[in-house]
Amino acid sequence: MPTKKTNIKKTKTKQKPQKAVKGKAKKPKETRKKNLLPKNKRVLVLLVAALFIIIIGAAQAVILISMRHKAPAKEKVPKAPEYYFSKNEDISSFTAIVGKRTFEKQEPVSESAAKSAADAKSSTTAQGESTAPVEPEDTYKYVNLDNASEDLKSYKDYLETKKSFIDVTAESTAAASTEGETKSENAEFYQLSGPSNDSKSYLSITLESSGDSVTVTAGKGSESWNDYFKNQWDQQKQVISDIQKQPKPETTIEQAENTVRSQSQEKLKLSESTDSYQFIASPGISKIDGKDYYTVRTYKRLPDSTLTYIATYLCDCSDNSVGFQYDEVSGKATPLG
């Protein structure tokens, strides 16, 4: 018998679609990169780099320093002092009295030169003319002055009237000449001394003018002001005594007139003989360049009996000599031939 085929239905199993899992997929762990250099070699590299930086910095510093040395340094303008000596001496400087002036710094004196100057002054001390300083002298120079003589006299007046300094120029002239200094014709020189706060010394200031400059030298003497002043006073009294012992000049106004009248026409540079003129001396004595003179005026009598002035002559009171014709307006004395 034929066999009946049984139709067997195969049941197909439908697979349900899987839902995607929401969320981030896990990434695989990254493997750390290993340093190619060992630890000790890394330290060595860092040290070499630091050393290299230090060397470069040092080289730059050396270059900068050398450039500074090569660059011309700007000269500092010297500053004039406000005081001489220490401030407690209260001696105002030259510029503090006469006003702002150009100050020129002086090079310090060498030890040998300072010793020579001290030896020269010590020799004059033995003669009673000067006293060597007990400390180095300081020198200050002021240049390009409009009127050096006037400035010098203003400062000299300050020392004498405000600080009780005395003029001892006569006593120090010999000491100055021993130093072999050459003075110009218009140069002025004064030596002044005054009291110090130091009871064992006195102050000494030298003022010198030459051309358009004034030099101030400040130092200290090696004895007390009282002893020094007494010594100066004793010397002055001796000078006065010596003068009083000398015979007094007999020159009078009348003698001065007669002396000028007795001179030759050529010497007096007159156009006519001296008998044609009238000579009249001015009352009193005129001090010119430190000497005493009678000023004798010369007149010419005109036809109407009036007198016209011709010239003035100087008659020396000490020896009754006539050596100069004098311009009373300008103050100039012209030597007679």
Side-chain angles (χ1 to χ4, degrees):
M1 287 180 66
T3 304
K4 291 182 181 178
K5 292 182 181 178
T6 304
N7 291 329
I8 298 173
K9 292 182 181 179
K10 292 183 180 179
T11 305
K12 293 183 179 180
T13 303
K14 292 183 180 180
Q15 293 182 350
K16 295 181 180 179
Q18 295 182 354
K19 294 182 179 179
V21 180
K22 292 183 179 180
K24 295 181 180 179
K26 292 183 179 180
K27 294 182 180 179
K29 293 183 179 180
E30 294 181 359
T31 56
R32 293 182 180 177
K33 293 182 180 179
K34 292 185 179 180
N35 287 317
L36 300 178
L37 292 175
K39 184 176 182 181
N40 58 346
K41 288 188 178 181
R42 292 203 308 274
V43 172
L44 180 61
V45 170
L46 291 175
L47 288 176
V48 171
L51 182 61
F52 183 71
I53 292 172
I54 292 172
I55 293 173
I56 292 176
Q60 289 178 339
V62 170
I63 293 171
L64 287 174
I65 292 172
S66 62
M67 288 178 65
R68 287 180 183 176
H69 282 296
K70 289 180 181 179
K74 292 183 180 179
E75 293 185 3
K76 293 183 178 179
V77 178
K79 185 179 180 181
E82 295 182 9
Y83 297 91
Y84 297 141
F85 310 104
S86 59
K87 190 173 181 179
N88 67 336
E89 293 288 4
D90 195 27
I91 303 298
S92 297
S93 68
F94 182 77
T95 48
I97 300 303
V98 303
K100 187 177 180 180
R101 300 291 188 272
T102 303
F103 175 65
E104 186 177 90
K105 187 175 182 181
Q106 299 298 290
E107 294 296 329
V109 180
S110 63
E111 291 184 7
S112 58
K115 185 177 184 302
S116 299
D119 292 341
K121 291 189 177 183
S122 297
S123 64
T124 58
T125 302
Q127 301 170 9
E129 294 176 345
S130 178
T131 304
V134 296
E135 61 182 39
E137 295 179 333
D138 295 319
T139 301
Y140 311 91
K141 190 172 184 179
Y142 305 87
V143 297
N144 303 327
L145 308 180
D146 293 335
N147 194 326
S149 178
E150 183 178 335
D151 285 350
L152 183 147
K153 287 181 172 60
S154 296
Y155 190 68
K156 179 175 181 288
D157 181 68
Y158 157 75
L159 292 175
E160 292 176 321
T161 59
K162 303 294 184 182
K163 295 301 174 181
S164 302
F165 274 64
I166 59 174
D167 189 340
V168 293
T169 306
E171 288 77 9
S172 62
T173 301
S177 63
T178 59
E179 297 176 9
E181 296 180 354
T182 303
K183 310 292 183 184
S184 63
E185 290 184 3
N186 297 327
E188 295 179 81
F189 175 89
Y190 295 100
Q191 179 76 44
L192 297 105
S193 299
S196 169
N197 286 331
D198 180 1
S199 60
K200 296 181 180 179
S201 62
Y202 66 92
L203 304 181
S204 175
I205 291 182
T206 301
L207 304 176
E208 297 178 77
S209 70
S210 180
D212 63 350
S213 68
V214 168
T215 302
V216 180
T217 304
K220 284 192 174 184
S222 59
E223 61 181 316
S224 69
W225 170 247
N226 289 337
D227 291 342
Y228 177 82
F229 185 81
K230 182 179 180 301
N231 182 43
Q232 292 296 315
W233 178 245
D234 290 341
Q235 289 183 31
Q236 187 62 30
K237 287 194 297 185
Q238 184 61 47
V239 171
I240 294 172
S241 176
D242 292 342
I243 292 174
Q244 289 175 342
K245 291 176 181 178
Q246 295 176 358
K248 294 183 179 179
E250 298 178 355
T251 305
T252 63
I253 289 179
E254 292 78 11
Q255 289 174 328
E257 291 174 351
N258 292 331
T259 299
V260 176
R261 188 180 293 110
S262 66
Q263 305 301 308
S264 66
Q265 173 186 342
E266 290 76 16
K267 181 175 181 177
L268 297 180
K269 300 178 181 179
L270 297 173
S271 59
E272 300 179 25
S273 66
T274 54
D275 295 337
S276 304
Y277 299 90
Q278 190 165 346
F279 301 91
I280 303 174
S282 300
I285 295 174
S286 299
K287 186 176 286 295
I288 301 170
D289 294 334
K291 297 187 70 174
D292 293 334
Y293 294 95
Y294 283 108
T295 54
V296 181
R297 295 188 176 96
T298 305
Y299 298 90
K300 175 70 176 176
R301 189 172 292 279
L302 299 178
D304 60 358
S305 296
T306 59
L307 296 176
T308 180
Y309 171 77
I310 301 298
T312 298
Y313 301 95
L314 299 179
C315 182
D316 195 323
C317 294
S318 61
D319 57 11
N320 200 30
S321 63
V322 180
F324 298 93
Q325 182 174 333
Y326 184 60
D327 187 331
E328 296 185 60
V329 176
S330 65
K332 182 179 179 181
T334 304
L336 298 172

